[in-house]
Amino acid sequence: LSVWAAYMYIVFFSNGILPGADLLQFETRTWEEVLNLSLNFFLVAPALNLPLSPVVHPILEGVFNLLLSWAAMFAGFFSDDRKDKPNLLPMLPVVIGMQFLTSAFLLPYLTTRTTETRDDVTREDLTRVSQVGESRWLGPAMATVGSYSIAWAFVGRFADFGELSERWATFLDLMSIDRVGVSFLVDLVIFGLFQAWLVDDDLKRRGVAADELPQLRAIGKYMPFFGMAAYLALRPTYQSLE
């Protein structure tokens, strides 16, 4: 809760802590940047060289789409929210909201969610939304998007932004004035710190004792991004009563 309060103040309302203008005085350039990044969502438009694809700094695009693919992986924890385990904030709208305001939605969810008490949840206990989050393809698919985003940051738009040293220098210049871009970097740190928050309860409801599957547990909790992708692909499935 304290991290969320600090995040909301520093990212949206502070002056002098992060570069750029606060939410109350965002410049036109800021809104144009947000729109351009949204048009290049998951880098589909630039990869296909579509005419609607605006030119945005490739490292910023890479960070943005890595962040959104990471946020999408939290859908793998939809079963944290069930009829017999209600949370103050339903997880489906939280995960949707994370595609727009990332940690501004994740942190309140982690603050207000209920602790898992069951170790015998079955597939029949899950809602249809929760079952979508059980797909083995979620982690690998988002890992692919994230990997492509990282590669894009290094080599995307080569004709416009040149080699790594040149694009890194221009990216640092951009970050010196860009509140939105810096907030993405803050979000990456927060996702890395709080990725572990849901893993133990997720294993518990699948019937995995606290001393079981230590390697998978550690990977899912402490390896940022790719560890979550691996965890979602390799974790035990829910048993069925049928």
Side-chain angles (χ1 to χ4, degrees), residues 168-225:
W168 180 249
T170 56
F171 177 69
L172 292 180
D173 289 340
L174 177 62
M175 291 301 98
S176 69
I177 62 170
D178 192 336
R179 174 70 63 97
V180 173
V182 172
S183 72
F184 295 156
L185 301 178
V186 173
D187 284 321
L188 288 177
V189 174
I190 290 177
F191 277 21
L193 291 174
F194 288 93
Q195 174 178 299
W197 206 269
L198 298 172
V199 172
D200 284 334
D201 274 3
D202 189 61
L203 287 173
K204 178 180 179 179
R205 59 179 158 263
R206 295 169 193 273
V208 179
D211 59 348
E212 295 179 328
L213 300 181
Q215 293 86 2
L216 180 62
R217 188 185 300 269
I219 288 172
K221 292 175 68 172
Y222 303 121
M223 181 185 293
F225 185 73

Side-chain angles (χ1 to χ4, degrees), residues 16-76:
I17 299 177
L18 297 182
D22 64 54
L23 178 64
L24 301 179
Q25 51 183 327
F26 266 3
E27 308 152 312
T28 301
R29 180 192 63 80
T30 300
W31 295 111
E32 290 177 350
E33 180 180 85
V34 171
L35 174 60
N36 291 343
L37 287 169
S38 300
L39 289 173
N40 291 346
F41 179 76
F42 278 9
L43 297 170
V44 173
L48 298 177
N49 199 27
L50 298 180
L52 59 80
S53 175
V55 176
V56 183
H57 198 291
I59 297 182
L60 181 61
E61 287 181 308
V63 169
F64 174 73
N65 286 286
L66 172 64
L67 182 64
L68 293 192
S69 59
W70 199 345
M73 279 198 287
F74 280 87

Side-chain angles (χ1 to χ4, degrees), residues 64-184:
F64 174 73
N65 286 286
L66 172 64
L67 182 64
L68 293 192
S69 59
W70 199 345
M73 279 198 287
F74 280 87
F77 298 101
F78 275 153
S79 59
D80 189 64
D81 192 34
R82 307 185 310 276
K83 290 182 179 179
D84 65 321
K85 184 185 174 298
N87 293 304
L88 181 62
L89 299 176
M91 195 165 194
L92 175 59
V94 166
V95 172
I96 294 173
M98 287 169 66
Q99 294 294 310
F100 300 92
L101 292 175
T102 54
S103 300
F105 278 85
L106 173 64
L107 292 173
Y109 180 81
L110 298 182
T111 300
T112 59
R113 61 178 288 272
T114 56
T115 302
E116 183 62 69
T117 58
R118 292 181 56 186
D119 59 3
D120 60 349
V121 175
T122 65
R123 183 167 291 274
E124 285 73 19
D125 293 318
L126 305 182
T127 64
R128 291 184 179 179
V129 171
S130 298
Q131 291 178 12
V132 171
E134 292 301 302
S135 172
R136 291 288 192 190
W137 291 102
L138 176 61
M142 292 303 100
T144 300
V145 174
S147 298
Y148 185 72
S149 300
I150 294 171
W152 183 264
F154 283 94
V155 300
R157 305 193 190 281
F158 189 85
D160 296 309
F161 292 90
E163 297 183 357
L164 180 59
S165 59
E166 181 180 351
R167 66 181 57 211
W168 180 249
T170 56
F171 177 69
L172 292 180
D173 289 340
L174 177 62
M175 291 301 98
S176 69
I177 62 170
D178 192 336
R179 174 70 63 97
V180 173
V182 172
S183 72
F184 295 156

